[in-house]
Amino acid sequence: MSPQPRIVRTLPALHRAVARLRGTHRTIALVPTMGALHQGHLSLVRLGRRRARGVIVSIFVNPAQFAPTEDLASYPRNLAADLAVLAGSGADLAFVPATETMYAPGFATTIVPGGAAGVALEDKFRPHFFAGVATVVTKLLLQCRPDIAIFGEKDYQQLKVITSLARDLDLPVKILAGPIVREGDGLAMSSRNAYLSAPERAVAPTLSRVLMDCADKITGGAELAGVLERGRAAIEHAGFVLDYLEARHADTLQPIGSLQDGPIRLLVAARLGSTRLIDNVAV
């Protein structure tokens, strides 16, 4: 286990490093990130270390998944802090490409996913998002050539989109899900939590509390529509501007009518001040 991951920035350097890392039939795990690393990311690195011999962490703030109105310019970037977080984590390699490396002049190809990318959740509010994600993830998988790639369940719709992407395009990689890591008060760890003011941070765990309460009630046999209606009201009463609170089939993300219709995932997105938070929980 390397105490400090080796940093590579260019594709030739990456390919040389991957060849050395693989050695003789070594397995490699990739953990794609946009930086601003926290314990949730480290849990994915640890999962990669358990499942593979070598671990690559990519750090790239992908402009293709931000709309002009979103927070690309203000998205937290601190490579020194990220590398300090990774020290001793088990990551062997940090791939830190420039935007020009990922999107060279004349770049003109975009992957537009279907299926779980078009179910009126994140795609309804961020219609540009999954094409940007699918394109950059495909590039990272081809560049790093991992055996395993690990994505967190907090971005649950994204996880389903990427799982389908790898399957549909016959990419030779296994997509693994890392469980959500939460703060002590239940708030899902996220790089965007740093945007919250102190009063907003105190309110933010309402999202996870409402999700857990809804899941308990549904499991106990309460009628789904009524549970969701009361959950939405509780979130808005706490001061959020709600984008959605939905119960969906855990695999397809299609709308679901009752507990008997299949495994359920509850998903929520809401704004608190200028910060948009998402969360989800299994029923």
Side-chain angles (χ1 to χ4, degrees):
M1 183 184 299
S2 303
Q4 177 76 46
R6 182 183 176 198
I7 304 165
V8 295
R9 299 178 183 272
T10 68
L11 291 178
L14 173 67
H15 295 156
R16 290 192 297 269
V18 168
R20 284 193 295 269
L21 188 60
R22 189 168 294 282
T24 306
H25 300 104
R26 287 190 79 179
T27 51
I28 293 175
L30 171 66
V31 180
T33 82
M34 293 210 306
L37 302 184
H38 51 67
Q39 289 298 317
H41 295 108
L42 291 186
S43 73
L44 305 182
V45 175
R46 289 192 291 268
L47 177 56
R49 175 56 64 182
R50 292 196 298 271
R51 297 297 296 270
R53 295 282 304 279
V55 179
I56 303 171
V57 176
S58 64
I59 301 174
F60 177 64
V61 180
N62 178 32
Q65 66 194 62
F66 288 80
T69 57
E70 293 181 328
D71 57 352
L72 174 61
S74 62
Y75 194 86
R77 296 169 175 85
N78 189 331
L79 181 59
D82 288 339
L83 295 174
V85 169
L86 287 176
S89 68
D92 297 282
L93 197 65
F95 178 41
V96 189
T99 300
E100 295 73 22
T101 298
M102 298 302 285
Y103 301 109
F107 185 90
T109 302
T110 299
I111 293 176
V112 181
V119 294
L121 291 171
E122 286 300 286
D123 52 294
K124 179 179 178 181
F125 295 89
R126 307 179 72 193
H128 58 284
F129 179 71
F130 287 116
V133 168
T135 301
V136 79
V137 168
T138 300
K139 286 177 67 70
L140 287 168
L141 294 177
L142 293 172
Q143 291 163 346
C144 298
R145 301 190 292 275
D147 303 281
I148 297 164
I150 304 173
F151 296 83
E153 286 189 338
K154 188 181 78 67
D155 297 288
Y156 192 80
Q157 187 179 5
Q158 173 179 277
L159 170 66
K160 292 301 177 182
V161 170
I162 291 167
T163 301
S164 297
L165 171 78
R167 180 196 66 217
D168 293 348
L169 298 184
D170 301 314
L171 298 177
V173 61
K174 181 178 179 61
I175 305 299
L176 294 184
I180 296 173
V181 177
R182 298 185 180 278
E183 303 285 0
D185 57 9
L187 179 64
M189 287 190 179
S190 169
S191 304
R192 287 188 168 90
N193 292 350
Y195 297 158
L196 297 169
S197 67
E200 290 167 348
R201 177 62 186 82
V203 172
T206 300
L207 280 187
S208 61
R209 287 197 294 268
V210 169
L211 281 177
M212 303 295 182
D213 183 59
C214 288
D216 287 344
K217 286 181 168 59
I218 294 167
T219 302
E223 188 262 334
L224 193 60
V227 170
L228 294 175
E229 183 178 352
R230 290 186 291 275
R232 292 172 186 134
I235 290 169
E236 291 178 332
H237 181 73
F240 290 86
V241 176
L242 182 66
D243 282 349
Y244 60 81
L245 170 61
E246 295 283 341
R248 296 298 182 90
H249 191 284
D251 294 326
T252 66
L253 296 185
Q254 291 298 319
I256 199 165
S258 72
L259 191 59
Q260 286 69 45
D261 291 340
I264 294 178
R265 199 86 183 188
L266 298 179
L267 303 103
V268 67
R271 294 185 181 276
L272 191 58
S274 61
T275 307
R276 187 172 186 270
L277 301 176
I278 64 172
D279 203 347
N280 66 88
V281 67
V283 178

